Amino acid sequence: MMEFEAVIGLEIHVELNCATKMFCDCSNRPGDKPNMNICPTCLWFPGALPRLSREALEKAALLCLGLGAELQPRSAFDQKVYYYPDLPKGYQLSQAHLPLARGGAIDISDENGRPRKLRIHHIHMEEDVAKLVHEMEGRLPISLVDFNRAGAPLVEIVTEPDFRTPSEAMEFLKALRTQVRYVGSSECSMENGTMRVDANISVRPKGTGQMNTKVEVKNMNSIRHVGDAVAYEINRQSADVQAGKVVTLHTRLWDPDKKVTLAMRGKFEGPCIPDPVVPVIELAPEWIERMRTRLPEMPAARAERFVSQHGLSGEEAVFLSADPEVAGYFEALIGQGVSPRTAMHWLVTQLIPAVKDRGQELSGSAVPPARFAALLNMLARDEINAHAAREVLGQLFDSDKAPEAIVSALGFRQVSDPDALDALIDKVLAEQPAAVADVRAGQGKALGFLIGQVMQASGGKANPKVLRDLLAKKVSAAS
Amino acid sequence: MDSIFFYRPPEAAVPADGPLKGMNIAIQPNVSAAGWPTDAGSNALARFVALEDATVVERLRQAGASICGSTRMSEFGFGLDGSRAGEAIKRNAAHAELVLDLMGESRLAASAGDVCGFKPSYGLVSRFGLIGLIPSMECYGILSDSLKNIREILKAIAGPDERDFSLPDETTPDFSPQNIDRGKTTVGIIKEAPGSLPARQESLYRAAIETLGDAGLTVKELSLPDFPLFLPVHKIVGAVEASSCTGRYDSVRYGVRVPGAKNWNEMYLSSRGAAFGPLLKSYLFQGTFFQFERYDAYEDACRIRARLVAGMRRLAAQADFWAIPVERGGPDAPASLADTYAQFALTAYANVAGLPALYLPPAQGRPHPGVQLSGPRLSDARLLALGEHLLNARRGGNA
């Protein structure tokens, strides 16, 4: 049986998180009540003229720079001509001939851990179209148009056909999402539709350099679905080719329930004509440099720094730096004197799950870094134990009080004074002669039991380390 | 009178104080004036009422003018079929008119109405609120008996507008009156421009050129062998832009929808089919053909357009202005696209190259038509000064 390999390229639409639409001052909030955010320009009333948003251009440019693409000194909008009710003027403004940026790449590791550089062909700006809703009015099918999304600012990232496996596509998208979130141009959520991915897939006998007819797959609403759809399509096309069928150029939709792709329609490519109204965009080198200074430290650099500066493992560093919010929070904790290891451990295992449970976001949660650091620093100074720290964290979400005040109020301050612990230990040893005998007979388990008893008698406040030392000394001394 | 006007407001607003105080200006129903019916001469916009004022309307009113109504126009201003441009001035119903110039309409209307007609440089006047057809070529032409009126109007409406980003970032010319130096001003005659004019037009053109000499101007022969390409470039580029520009008239959001369609493709076909008249339809078909079938020819036309613009810039180094005949003489009532183009063979150049152009009527008692003068981009103020100089010379003045 012939072995096939896939040739995959992605087209990724990213909705920029600008305050306004791309060519007018309407709010860029597609999810509002239908047709609330509309004006003569985005409805293309007679006499209206488009005005390119400065914010859209800046956020698009930052995104390009964040992905290592080269901003072009001269780019322009074209008219992509087609007629459909979601398109209010018979053409979509897009950059077909002179895109905003060319080149760029994303580094990922493939399934075998080998580094792969996946190249970007170009990145261009375009406007989004309206949303169609199909309903029944009695027995009459009707189509409703919601223009809130019409004119929303988008960029489209078009990759080279460098991908060979579904996993590469998924890793690329995760890394892309991280980098775009870093520059702050978009949330890049496939679930919310702020990132939409079309995959172009063809297959060829492994080892040949052929570029065969490709099939476009749409309608995946998570990164996992992209992987599933690409995997399905590779198998489908390989089987077809094996059976001697010819692959034809067309578009397929991913059906997430049945986990199959279904043929949609012949691909219609309308003409693209230079738009005579939106001015040509000329970017001065100084402007590009100014944008570059606005770029934050990107995730790969940050992860490297976390390893060298804070002694995290590579895996930990990549995990923490993947989300700019998490990475920023981590660094804020360190700035407040928390050790990197404690900060990482408590952030990942305690705070993030707690924030999630309460339906909050890390930024703007009830526990800003200063409060959390105060708690962790008490833990580091042995003023409280880990158990108490977890309890106090829960309280921090419901109370404005300082962690110190909560610790005091709940009486969580740890007892480390040997004199205070002595009395408790003596009492427990007197009550548990059998256990004491077991310890002396070399049964370690019994020591733990005794520690537990003293801890209970202290109301959970005994410093476990001090307690263990004192107890061990006492039991052996008495023998 | 009613057949000249498409709409007259029941009650004119009290004009502001300003340089245009007391001036009545007629517009066309493709210029937005809030609350006015604004159908741009097309069924596609039947009963459409403008939501806001065009920049020109706002600026004219701020300068003290009174917008006295809108005159009947050809469909989207393409050609002059059905247009009554120029007549409001002749009948003393307006001191000036704004007339869309897509390929020379304002200059030919001025010629027919025996008034002055001025087409400004492209990019000098905001198009916000203009229901246009060919975005890269269209321009408000200004018609009036008086060049002083034209200058004052242009002064009021020209200049940057934050609602029209397509205006180039340039310094607006100074429209204060200025003198034309006798003996130091050259007017070029482009050898290839007239083509083969009919004998009558030829002799009138020669006579007009003689009067330039009489006014103390140096007349110089120039050559631009590409000149005959202006019209074919206009045909292709203009039609392509018009096809895109009218894509918005799809009956989805406004305009007239023909009922009974079974699906939206049918809705488009029937509604758009009913929206446009036969001349405009053939124009749009032509544009769609170049968009979908002959994109290569469109690209060629764009390249040649750039070459023509450069060619005119070269001529500007050899003369201050140009004199060009305004019409060749053709069928009075154009029935086809070809007939319509034939009318504009000598005016379309200014739209293709974005140049200012002035039509000056002949001196009293002299036969029609007068002469068309043109100059480099943004020479608008000097071109108007040249016109004033020539009119003055006719009156025996010695400017």
Side-chain angles (χ1 to χ4, degrees):
Chain A
M1 180 158 162
M2 193 186 283
E3 209 184 332
F4 290 97
E5 74 175 358
V7 179
I8 306 157
L10 301 179
E11 293 170 10
I12 303 131
H13 283 93
V14 171
E15 192 132 353
L16 298 174
N17 56 4
C18 300
T20 68
K21 294 187 181 183
M22 194 161 226
F23 294 110
C24 63
D25 294 333
C26 286
S27 286
N28 179 28
R29 290 199 309 265
D32 283 1
K33 210 170 141 234
N35 294 317
M36 291 305 288
N37 304 321
I38 55 174
C39 74
T41 301
C42 55
L43 289 184
W44 294 89
F45 266 55
L49 291 174
R51 286 160 301 146
L52 179 63
S53 143
R54 173 176 294 272
E55 191 194 7
L57 176 61
E58 290 180 353
K59 287 208 155 152
L62 278 174
L63 181 147
C64 295
L65 292 173
L67 298 176
E70 196 177 335
L71 288 172
Q72 301 295 295
R74 195 178 154 83
S75 69
F77 278 90
D78 296 287
Q79 306 174 340
K80 214 162 156 181
V81 180
Y82 66 91
Y83 287 85
Y84 211 64
D86 66 3
L87 190 61
K89 59 186 171 312
Y91 58 84
Q92 182 188 22
L93 285 168
S94 176
Q95 298 184 299
H97 295 117
L98 297 170
L100 181 64
R102 296 181 195 270
I106 288 182
D107 293 302
I108 61 149
S109 302
D110 71 5
E111 293 94 316
N112 306 312
R114 280 191 299 263
R116 289 268 284 133
K117 188 176 274 297
L118 300 169
R119 294 168 302 157
I120 293 166
H121 181 267
H122 74 264
I123 302 174
H124 66 256
M125 296 187 278
E126 64 184 30
E127 55 172 346
D128 210 342
V129 297
K131 191 173 132 195
L132 291 177
V133 181
H134 306 291
E135 286 184 358
M136 294 298 286
E137 203 171 63
R139 291 169 58 193
L140 187 69
I142 57 166
S143 299
L144 303 169
V145 197
D146 173 7
F147 287 97
N148 280 351
R149 201 179 64 186
L154 294 177
V155 295
E156 183 174 346
I157 300 145
V158 180
T159 74
E160 296 283 0
D162 282 354
F163 308 68
R164 296 291 168 266
T165 65
S167 148
E168 287 177 3
M170 290 165 68
E171 289 306 310
F172 178 91
L173 291 172
K174 284 183 206 160
L176 174 89
R177 182 177 64 186
T178 298
Q179 296 185 25
V180 173
R181 283 179 182 171
Y182 256 68
V183 300
S185 294
S186 172
E187 283 66 50
C188 279
S189 159
M190 289 192 72
E191 288 77 4
N192 298 336
T194 52
M195 179 160 96
R196 308 196 279 268
V197 179
D198 302 339
N200 290 303
I201 303 152
S202 64
V203 295
R204 64 187 178 199
K206 195 166 181 159
T208 63
Q210 294 171 23
M211 292 301 258
N212 293 326
T213 306
K214 67 187 181 184
V215 171
E216 184 186 42
V217 185
K218 290 175 178 289
N219 199 39
M220 294 79 83
N221 52 21
S222 72
I223 290 180
R224 171 161 298 279
H225 283 177
V226 173
D228 291 348
V230 169
Y232 176 88
E233 191 56 24
I234 294 171
N235 288 336
R236 191 191 67 80
Q237 287 186 33
S238 304
D240 271 9
V241 174
Q242 198 78 46
K245 290 186 203 159
V246 177
V247 176
T248 53
L249 183 71
H250 69 298
T251 299
R252 301 179 75 84
L253 289 185
W254 172 246
D255 182 330
D257 299 323
K258 298 192 183 109
K259 295 194 178 302
V260 295
T261 63
L262 299 167
M264 185 179 139
R265 55 180 154 89
K267 210 166 148 59
F268 171 76
E269 284 286 347
C272 277
I273 294 125
D275 181 75
V277 179
V278 181
V280 168
I281 299 164
E282 288 182 350
L283 301 183
E286 307 82 62
W287 188 89
I288 294 176
E289 275 320 300
R290 215 158 52 236
M291 281 297 120
R292 212 183 289 283
T293 58
R294 275 174 53 180
L295 272 189
E297 180 186 30
M298 294 304 285
R302 202 172 203 177
E304 258 175 56
R305 187 165 57 78
F306 283 180
V307 171
S308 62
Q309 193 176 332
H310 302 313
L312 299 186
S313 75
E315 207 175 324
E316 289 166 345
V318 166
F319 178 82
L320 276 189
S321 60
D323 183 336
E325 303 266 334
V326 173
Y329 201 102
F330 169 73
E331 296 206 275
L333 289 178
I334 290 176
Q336 303 269 342
V338 181
S339 82
R341 193 130 298 278
T342 304
M344 203 227 35
H345 178 73
W346 278 80
L347 183 58
V348 173
T349 63
Q350 301 299 326
L351 184 63
I352 292 175
V355 165
K356 212 178 224 173
D357 280 351
R358 288 164 175 79
Q360 299 182 1
E361 297 286 330
L362 196 52
S363 68
S365 88
V367 188
R371 295 185 88 205
F372 195 39
L375 179 65
L376 295 180
N377 285 333
M378 290 171 78
L379 178 67
R381 290 193 300 266
D382 275 339
E383 289 171 28
I384 53 171
N385 60 30
H387 173 73
R390 277 195 290 276
E391 284 289 314
V392 176
L393 175 59
Q395 302 271 332
L396 286 178
F397 280 98
D398 308 320
S399 152
D400 291 338
K401 285 192 210 143
E404 292 84 350
I406 296 173
V407 165
S408 300
L410 295 178
F412 276 165
R413 209 165 287 272
Q414 202 158 245
V415 181
S416 307
D417 175 13
D419 292 343
L421 290 176
D422 265 352
L424 289 174
I425 292 170
D426 290 345
K427 188 165 167 269
V428 167
L429 292 185
E431 284 167 8
Q432 305 283 355
V436 173
D438 284 349
V439 174
R440 287 179 187 149
Q443 288 190 30
K445 243 201 248 165
L447 181 65
F449 169 75
L450 288 174
I451 292 173
Q453 290 296 307
V454 181
M455 187 61 88
Q456 204 174 3
S458 77
K461 287 186 276 183
N463 180 330
K465 228 172 90 200
V466 178
L467 170 59
R468 171 180 276 275
D469 289 350
L470 278 176
L471 191 66
K473 217 178 284 170
K474 262 196 184 211
V475 173
S476 51
S479 61
Chain B
M1 190 68 75
D2 281 346
S3 56
I4 298 176
F5 281 95
F6 168 76
Y7 177 75
R8 304 193 83 172
E11 197 171 304
V14 180
D17 270 328
L20 302 185
K21 182 134 185 162
M23 202 187 287
N24 285 325
I25 300 177
I27 58 176
Q28 290 179 306
N30 59 350
V31 185
S32 307
W36 288 30
T38 312
D39 72 354
S42 178
N43 264 335
L45 285 171
R47 295 185 290 286
F48 184 81
V49 174
L51 296 174
E52 48 194 333
D53 285 342
T55 299
V56 290
V57 166
E58 200 180 276
R59 290 185 179 176
L60 287 173
R61 283 182 176 151
Q62 275 164 7
S66 165
I67 312 291
C68 62
S70 60
T71 63
R72 294 186 186 279
M73 65 183 291
S74 60
E75 189 165 18
F76 286 106
F78 181 72
L80 286 166
D81 189 24
S83 166
R84 308 298 297 269
E87 292 184 41
I89 299 171
K90 284 313 299 169
R91 304 267 205 92
N92 293 319
H95 299 103
E97 298 180 31
L98 290 192
V99 174
L100 185 68
D101 198 304
L102 292 168
M103 51 184 173
E105 289 84 350
S106 73
R107 287 157 280 163
L108 288 198
S111 165
D114 201 24
V115 295
C116 299
F118 185 74
K119 176 219 170 285
S121 294
Y122 181 80
L124 196 56
V125 180
S126 166
R127 289 183 303 116
F128 175 79
L130 167 69
I131 303 175
L133 187 67
I134 312 176
S136 81
M137 299 189 188
E138 66 203 14
C139 224
Y140 292 103
I142 308 167
L143 269 53
S144 179
D145 269 333
S146 139
L147 282 177
K148 183 171 169 291
N149 281 350
I150 290 178
R151 193 177 61 226
E152 289 300 323
I153 289 171
L154 190 55
K155 194 170 165 183
I157 63 177
D161 176 17
E162 60 181 22
R163 291 175 296 185
D164 184 353
F165 280 20
S166 72
L167 296 182
D169 195 6
E170 295 167 325
T171 312
T172 310
D174 177 4
F175 289 104
S176 325
Q178 50 183 293
N179 289 325
I180 294 292
D181 286 349
R182 292 177 77 96
K184 283 190 191 163
T185 305
T186 320
V187 180
I189 307 297
I190 304 169
K191 197 167 57 178
E192 296 82 2
S196 49
L197 278 182
R200 181 185 134 78
Q201 312 285 339
E202 175 78 27
S203 70
L204 283 171
Y205 178 49
R206 293 292 156 206
I209 289 164
E210 263 170 45
T211 63
L212 299 176
D214 298 344
L217 306 170
T218 310
V219 176
K220 185 176 172 185
E221 196 181 67
L222 308 173
S223 172
L224 184 69
D226 282 342
F227 196 91
L229 293 176
F230 273 112
L231 193 61
V233 163
H234 193 295
K235 283 182 189 175
I236 298 173
V237 176
V240 163
E241 287 187 22
S243 172
S244 284
C245 206
T246 50
R248 68 185 68 183
Y249 308 116
D250 58 8
S251 80
V252 173
R253 297 156 338 281
Y254 51 82
V256 183
R257 187 181 302 175
V258 173
K262 288 192 195 66
N263 53 51
W264 60 46
N265 210 33
E266 245 186 68
M267 177 188 85
Y268 278 136
L269 292 172
S270 53
S271 298
R272 284 173 64 80
F276 306 116
L279 178 67
L280 199 76
K281 240 181 231 168
S282 50
Y283 189 47
L284 301 183
F285 275 136
Q286 177 179 294
T288 309
F289 170 78
F290 284 108
Q291 283 184 331
F292 284 81
E293 304 292 333
R294 288 300 309 277
Y295 187 75
D296 59 326
Y298 167 75
E299 283 184 308
D300 285 345
C302 291
R303 256 196 306 278
I304 296 170
R305 184 182 189 183
R307 199 170 86 197
L308 289 167
V309 169
M312 291 306 275
R313 213 175 285 139
R314 269 197 310 280
L315 293 193
Q318 300 165 42
D320 300 306
F321 303 102
W322 310 293
I324 297 170
V326 71
E327 47 192 83
R328 197 183 288 278
D332 273 346
S336 67
L337 202 48
D339 288 350
T340 305
Y341 279 129
Q343 285 187 297
F344 297 95
L346 293 167
T347 50
Y349 75 94
N351 304 79
V352 171
L355 306 175
L358 170 66
Y359 171 77
L360 272 192
Q364 204 128 42
R366 301 288 291 268
H368 267 90
V371 69
Q372 179 182 209
L373 300 160
S374 178
R377 257 198 90 239
L378 301 182
S379 68
D380 303 60
R382 282 182 50 73
L383 186 58
L384 286 169
L386 175 73
E388 282 168 329
H389 174 89
L390 289 170
L391 293 185
N392 203 17
R394 280 181 198 170
R395 288 191 293 266
N398 207 2

